[in-house]
Amino acid sequence: MERIPILRMGRNLLVTIQIDMQDQTALALQDDLSERISRTGAEGVLIDISALEIVDSFIGRMLASISGIARMLGAETVVVGMQPAVAITLVELGLSLQGVRTALDVERGMRLLATAGGQRDVAAG
């Protein structure tokens, strides 16, 4: 089974999905990401899905689940690079990815995470 690499960038984790995600790969990513957030104390997770041309209902639910788990562990998640066909498919499947923040590209996603981090600093300080 293939594993999706998780890179650390400062206070954030970066996941770039470059393969067609099978269900087992998505489950492994959920476990790996949860463990990395817990171990590193990451405050943000950016998931780049720009290479995905197809997302089924299982993968859509996994993205929402990963975001929810990350939030419970104290990290914000932003999904970036969603292709229009993927967005249309998710809406047609009735998956609005509630609670998942999205951005058009990595740059905008990183800005969202920086803004969320700044808000956490103000709230904690």
Side-chain angles (χ1 to χ4, degrees), residues 1-85:
M1 176 178 56
E2 294 187 67
R3 300 290 258 220
I4 297 174
I6 301 170
L7 305 174
R8 185 166 185 173
M9 292 180 54
R11 303 183 326 184
N12 301 314
L13 299 176
L14 173 64
V15 177
T16 302
I17 301 171
Q18 297 293 319
I19 59 172
D20 284 331
M21 268 209 320
Q22 304 299 316
D23 293 355
Q24 290 301 318
T25 308
L27 289 169
L29 175 61
Q30 177 180 276
D31 292 343
D32 293 347
L33 200 47
S34 301
E35 190 277 327
R36 285 289 295 272
I37 293 168
S38 178
R39 185 164 39 96
T40 64
E43 297 177 357
V45 176
L46 189 134
I47 302 174
D48 179 6
I49 63 168
S50 60
L52 295 182
E53 296 179 5
I54 298 171
V55 172
D56 62 15
S57 62
F58 181 79
I59 300 301
R61 285 194 307 273
M62 288 303 299
L63 290 172
S65 176
I66 287 170
S67 178
I69 291 167
R71 192 170 32 257
M72 297 285 285
L73 294 172
E76 292 290 325
T77 300
V78 177
V79 175
V80 303
M82 186 177 302
Q83 296 189 23

